Amino acid sequence: MNIAVIPARGGSKRIPRKNIKPFYGKPMIAWSIAAAQASQVFDRIIVSTDDQEIADTAQALGADVPFLRPPELSDDFTGTIDVIAHATQWALDEKLSPSAVCCIYATAPFIQYTDIQEALTSLQQNRCSYVFTATEFAAPVYRSFQQNTAGGVEMLYPEHFNTRSQDLPEVFHDAGQFYWGTPQAWLSHQPFFSGHSRLHLIPRWRVQDIDNEADWVRAEAMAAALLSRQS
């Protein structure tokens, strides 16, 4: 049995109600639920929320909300692994016996169901703890710099000042869309960024964090090109 868990806390502060705020004609969370449904790899699609309005919206979209998340897992400091571990333990308590659990973020409108399918195959074939979406940085991080306290410039990796870009190591970052994991990995709180994980690479043009209003505006500008084919 495969289970999707979509965390959707009600207390978003930087973008109020962002999980159900309309985005390109649908509540934001609708895009994640639809991708999970289209993948056809899940026996249950569960939304983990502390908010009744989000629960009602999720259920109207065809997702399950079998519990409301407890307050101690609904504050600003609760991590993703804690939330998915809670849902995984609930599934075990209900005798559902999941073989894989996928955390899908509620604010990932550019997620594609084929990525969910392919990453599940990778999890199964590689026998790893996690498989999650990632993409390469737009610029070489080894050539990055910062301002010092005097207002001057300091390289973070001065040893690479004269290194050609094509000779620098390839570096990736989390794409913030989904994480497949084994129940054991979630319950034991294994970290994502370790030798027990594998990457599912996606192109940069399908990646956009939505953490503040500027992110939202940029995502809306991207939506017409990326979502018109999925509507």
Side-chain angles (χ1 to χ4, degrees):
M1 169 178 280
N2 299 321
I3 296 176
V5 181
I6 303 175
R9 189 169 65 92
S12 176
K13 293 182 174 61
R14 288 178 291 183
I15 307 177
R17 314 299 292 164
K18 74 172 181 177
N19 292 316
I20 54 174
K21 181 178 177 178
F23 184 89
Y24 202 68
K26 300 178 184 180
M28 174 60 84
I29 197 173
W31 298 101
S32 297
I33 293 173
Q37 292 166 335
S39 73
Q40 298 185 352
V41 299
F42 295 111
D43 299 280
R44 297 285 295 270
I45 300 171
I46 295 170
V47 171
S48 173
T49 185
D50 61 327
D51 185 278
Q52 190 60 53
E53 185 182 11
I54 293 175
D56 293 342
T57 300
Q59 289 174 321
L61 292 165
D64 296 331
V65 187
F67 55 81
L68 286 180
R69 197 193 309 171
E72 62 269 20
L73 292 177
S74 303
D75 60 26
D76 294 337
F77 305 102
T78 301
T80 295
I81 293 178
D82 293 326
V83 174
I84 308 306
H86 171 263
T88 301
Q89 186 61 59
W90 173 87
L92 292 174
D93 292 343
E94 293 294 311
K95 312 301 182 187
L96 296 181
S97 302
S99 55
V101 179
C102 186
C103 167
I104 301 177
Y105 280 145
T107 53
F110 306 134
I111 188 174
Q112 294 191 359
Y113 73 89
T114 52
D115 289 319
I116 296 173
Q117 295 169 333
E118 292 166 8
L120 173 59
T121 299
S122 177
L123 183 79
Q124 294 168 335
Q125 292 181 344
N126 288 294
R127 299 180 181 274
C128 49
S129 295
Y130 297 110
V131 175
F132 62 92
T133 51
T135 194
E136 71 273 17
F137 280 92
V141 298
Y142 289 103
R143 301 296 301 279
S144 57
F145 49 85
Q146 63 185 354
Q147 281 189 307
N148 60 26
T149 55
V153 175
E154 293 180 351
M155 287 192 69
L156 295 178
Y157 305 96
E159 65 273 20
H160 289 296
F161 178 76
N162 291 315
T163 306
R164 300 184 308 167
S165 296
Q166 60 265 39
D167 295 331
L168 292 169
E170 196 171 20
V171 183
F172 306 97
H173 65 85
D174 187 348
Q177 292 190 352
F178 65 82
Y179 311 83
W180 274 107
T182 66
Q184 296 79 13
W186 292 115
L187 291 172
S188 64
H189 291 71
Q190 286 190 30
F192 297 134
F193 308 141
S194 74
H196 300 287
S197 296
R198 296 292 182 272
L199 302 182
H200 179 75
L201 297 177
I202 62 176
R204 288 200 307 267
W205 52 266
R206 282 205 285 112
V207 176
Q208 175 60 45
D209 285 338
I210 305 179
D211 294 326
N212 54 49
E213 291 292 347
D215 293 339
W216 189 282
V217 170
R218 186 172 188 271
E220 285 186 320
M222 297 166 61
L226 296 179
L227 297 181
S228 58
R229 293 172 293 177
Q230 303 176 40
S231 300

